[in-house]
Amino acid sequence: MMDEFGRFLEATPAITAEAKEAARSRLLQAIREPVPTPPMPPSRRRGPRLAWRLALAASVALAVGAGIITVRGSERPATAPVAGVQELGDKAARSAETDPYRITPSPGRWLYVKQTIAPLRKEPEPEVDRNQRMTLETWHSLDGRQMALDDGRGKLVTEEYGPGVTAADLARAPVTPEEMIARIGASVDATPVTEFDDADATRQERIFRTISQLLGEQPLVADVRAALFRALPMIQGVSVKQDAIDAAGRHGIAFDYTGAWERVEIIVSAQDYRFLGTYGESVADRTFSLPGGATRTVKAGTPLVWSARMSAKVVDKPGDQP
């Protein structure tokens, strides 16, 4: 992610109205361009870290035309801290098992997801603004292969994109935490690391991120969601953050993973343990060299992503809303 930031920064003009339009065009073009990789077996996942690239493009494009709102604080609900990540996984899984939400994955339908996200503070810097929010709407094909979003001009753009493993893949018996780790791990192993990936990310971190993506973007049946929650404590390095806050100001509890450069949270409700959103921040200073001898440093503690899933509903096609 940070390597792409350096390449994008290099080509970005002063932030005038014309520059914003140029930035939007470059980002949308970058989304569509295939990422060069060595010959390898085909994978369902298009560009690595594409979710970040799409969200970046959307925040640049949509903020220009739609405006950004200031978020208001929210009161903290009464919560009981969990003893550890195992307890959090068990509680979230039990809640998922009793959830009446029932979806049968279908290749002909789409999952509409409405999120509140923190936009970029100053494009093309990677830092998001903790004090402002915008709405991001996306559509995800139920076969796990495509994503659609507004290009900032009222036109839907559909791209090959997915977590690399589908809801249908995970729903095949046996549905156990061990099988979730094995199937997602196999997908991670089959997806080559490219120039857009963090080369320092461990296999455990990539599995953690994939589970986060599945929980936020795929219509998972109850037993799969339960198995994924029970799988999270099995990932080495996952811990609990007792008071986590999503981008809508909702207080919850988070599954937390700290990698070499970034700490990532999967936030769930402290009341019913449903998925709320994500948060990510840098954990170490990282300096990037730019052509001409210039450098740019991303400081430890810089917020890089902050989201809150507000609604999700199966619809017939991209553009449809519940």
Side-chain angles (χ1 to χ4, degrees):
M1 179 173 73
M2 295 293 105
D3 292 337
E4 181 168 352
F5 155 62
R7 286 192 295 277
F8 180 56
L9 180 63
E10 168 195 351
T12 301
I15 304 303
T16 61
E18 293 78 10
K20 287 183 178 180
E21 182 65 23
R24 172 169 60 188
S25 298
R26 280 197 306 277
L27 282 164
L28 292 174
Q29 180 181 4
I31 292 170
R32 297 187 182 95
E33 290 176 349
V35 177
T37 60
M40 294 198 64
S43 171
R44 294 177 190 167
R45 185 183 301 175
R46 191 176 179 269
R49 302 303 295 275
L50 185 54
W52 176 82
R53 301 174 71 193
L54 289 168
L56 177 60
S59 65
V60 172
L62 295 178
V64 173
I68 300 175
I69 61 172
T70 300
V71 70
R72 296 179 180 177
S74 63
E75 295 184 1
R76 180 187 304 183
T79 62
V82 295
V85 67
Q86 188 68 52
E87 181 182 350
L88 179 58
D90 288 341
K91 286 186 173 181
R94 288 198 298 270
S95 177
E97 289 168 341
T98 59
D99 193 328
Y101 172 68
R102 294 287 184 271
I103 292 293
T104 300
S106 167
R109 305 189 75 192
W110 296 71
L111 182 69
Y112 165 80
V113 178
K114 182 177 182 179
Q115 297 183 80
T116 295
I117 67 169
L120 293 175
R121 178 177 293 278
K122 179 183 178 182
E123 70 272 16
E125 302 285 349
E127 180 180 4
V128 298
D129 192 334
R130 296 178 188 268
N131 297 317
Q132 297 190 81
R133 301 291 183 272
M134 62 173 290
T135 297
L136 178 64
E137 296 176 296
T138 53
W139 290 261
H140 305 264
S141 63
L142 298 200
D143 63 5
R145 297 174 185 268
Q146 292 180 300
M147 173 182 176
L149 79 165
D150 193 312
D151 68 354
R153 301 171 179 173
K155 179 182 178 182
L156 284 175
V157 177
T158 301
E159 297 296 329
E160 181 185 348
Y161 163 78
V165 60
T166 70
D169 294 333
L170 297 177
R172 293 195 313 268
V175 179
T176 65
E178 292 79 9
E179 278 296 316
M180 299 300 101
I181 294 291
R183 294 173 195 177
I184 294 171
S187 173
V188 163
D189 294 340
T191 304
V193 176
T194 76
E195 59 181 321
F196 294 112
D197 268 324
D198 183 349
D200 296 317
T202 64
R203 185 174 188 266
Q204 288 80 10
E205 181 175 353
R206 296 178 70 193
I207 291 174
F208 183 88
R209 289 182 179 275
T210 300
I211 292 177
S212 176
Q213 188 177 352
L214 286 162
L215 291 170
E217 300 174 0
Q218 289 295 305
L220 307 170
V221 294
D223 59 343
V224 169
R225 278 182 290 129
L228 287 175
F229 280 128
R230 289 194 171 100
L232 284 168
M234 298 170 61
I235 301 173
Q236 184 178 1
V238 174
S239 60
V240 170
K241 188 173 188 296
Q242 295 289 353
D243 185 29
I245 307 173
D246 73 6
R250 298 174 297 192
H251 288 256
I253 307 173
F255 297 92
D256 184 282
Y257 186 93
T258 300
W261 300 108
E262 188 175 348
R263 184 178 67 81
V264 184
E265 298 175 10
I266 298 174
I267 307 169
V268 298
S269 166
Q271 284 72 50
D272 59 13
Y273 301 98
R274 73 186 187 281
F275 176 84
L276 293 183
T278 62
Y279 176 77
E281 68 178 18
S282 58
V283 294
D285 293 356
R286 197 170 188 182
T287 300
F288 300 88
S289 298
L290 301 176
T295 61
R296 183 59 56 90
T297 299
V298 176
K299 294 290 188 179
T302 299
L304 302 174
V305 62
W306 201 8
S307 71
R309 192 172 80 165
M310 307 309 296
S311 63
K313 184 75 173 179
V314 173
V315 296
D316 290 330
K317 62 183 184 300
D320 286 355
Q321 296 182 343

